[in-house]
Amino acid sequence: MTLLLVLACSTTPSRNFRAELLDRYGEPPAPRTDPTPADPALAALTEGCAAKDAASCKHLALAQRDASEPVWSETLWRACELGSGEACSHLAFARLEGKEVPKDPRGALDAWIRGCKAGYDKSCFEAGVAFEEGDAGAADPSRAANLFGKSCLMGFSPACQYLSRFHVQGLGVDPDPEMAGWLACHECELQHQGARPDAGYAPGSAPVCKGLSALKTLGVSAASAEACPVGPP
C-alpha cells in the first residue's frame, strides 16, 4: 500500500521532529574536525605528535603512509586514541578493506565507534552502515538507527537519508512515514547549507537530495513534495 505524507522541513510542522530525534538518540557528541597544522613539515608534525597533538599525529600518519613507512598505522591509531575522529575513520577504512594492514572488520567497527564518540559525524554514519550490513557480526538495525540518528543530528546528510529509509521500512524503529519525510527533507536542507565532499557532494554541485528521490521507490508517495522548500532543483 502506498503511503501518503506531507513533507515539512523549514515549514511549520505539526511535530518537532528534531526534538523527537534528540529524545530518542540523545544529544550527539559535539562535531569536531582536525585543524590544519600551522607547520606541515614532517619535523614539526613529529614534534607535535610527540606532544600528544591529535591533528599532528593524524597528518604525520598520512604522510608516513604516502611514503610507505610501515609505522603509519601505529601513528594513526595514536591520533585516534588522542581524539582525532578523522584518524579513527581513516584507520577503520584501512582495516575494513585490508589495505596495508590486516583485514579486521571488527577492528574497523571499533575504530568508527571511537571516532563517533570523538565527534566525527562520518564515523557515526559508517559505524551505522557496519551494523546494518553485519560487517563485524550479526546485523543490528536498532544500533544502526541509533548511529544514523546521531550522525544526522550532527549534520551528516547521508545519515539522514539512511534513517529516512529505516523509518519507511521499520528497520530498527517503528514505521513512521512523517519522520521519513522530514528526514529526507532535512538531508536536502543540509546539502543546500554547504559543500561536503566526504558526504558525496562537492563545491559547485547541485544538491542530490537522494532521500526525496528515494521515497517513491520505497513505497512512499510524496503527495506534497513542494512543501519541502529545499527540494531538488
Side-chain angles (χ1 to χ4, degrees):
M1 180 177 67
T2 300
L3 299 171
L4 301 179
L5 72 155
V6 175
L7 294 173
C9 191
S10 295
T11 54
T12 303
S14 58
R15 295 164 56 184
N16 188 330
F17 294 102
R18 182 176 177 83
E20 289 183 29
L21 292 179
L22 286 168
D23 184 61
R24 182 176 302 162
Y25 302 120
E27 190 71 36
R32 172 186 169 183
T33 56
D34 294 330
T36 301
D39 185 353
L42 284 178
L45 294 177
T46 302
E47 182 178 346
C49 185
K52 299 184 177 181
D53 178 68
S56 293
C57 289
K58 184 198 77 173
H59 287 283
L60 176 61
L62 297 180
Q64 291 171 334
R65 184 176 64 181
D66 290 343
S68 298
E69 296 181 23
V71 297
W72 72 268
S73 60
E74 296 177 15
T75 307
L76 200 58
W77 176 242
R78 176 175 173 80
C80 177
E81 286 188 307
L82 289 171
S84 169
E86 294 174 57
C88 298
S89 190
H90 280 293
L91 186 60
F93 276 115
R95 288 175 171 176
L96 182 67
E97 298 168 0
K99 289 187 176 180
E100 303 172 83
V101 296
K103 189 175 180 67
D104 182 5
R106 179 70 232 184
L109 179 57
D110 290 343
W112 272 317
I113 290 174
R114 184 183 284 265
C116 178
K117 291 178 179 178
Y120 189 43
D121 51 14
K122 189 175 182 179
S123 274
C124 301
F125 170 73
E126 294 294 350
V129 172
F131 275 118
E132 180 187 5
E133 298 181 353
D135 287 339
D140 190 335
S142 179
R143 292 194 70 178
N146 182 282
L147 287 156
F148 291 149
K150 291 183 185 301
S151 183
C152 177
L153 286 167
M154 294 166 75
F156 193 67
S157 68
C160 304
Q161 177 206 338
Y162 274 57
L163 191 58
S164 173
R165 172 169 56 83
F166 272 40
H167 278 86
V168 171
Q169 299 175 326
L171 296 174
V173 294
D174 292 332
D176 186 342
E178 288 187 356
M179 177 64 82
W182 182 85
L183 286 163
C185 182
H186 187 52
E187 176 219 2
C188 197
E189 183 179 54
L190 288 170
Q191 290 187 20
H192 276 272
Q193 289 176 0
R196 277 288 298 269
D198 62 345
Y201 53 102
S205 63
V208 180
C209 303
K210 292 181 180 179
L212 289 175
S213 301
L215 287 177
K216 186 175 181 180
T217 303
L218 293 172
V220 179
S221 176
S224 301
E226 67 276 7
C228 183
V230 290

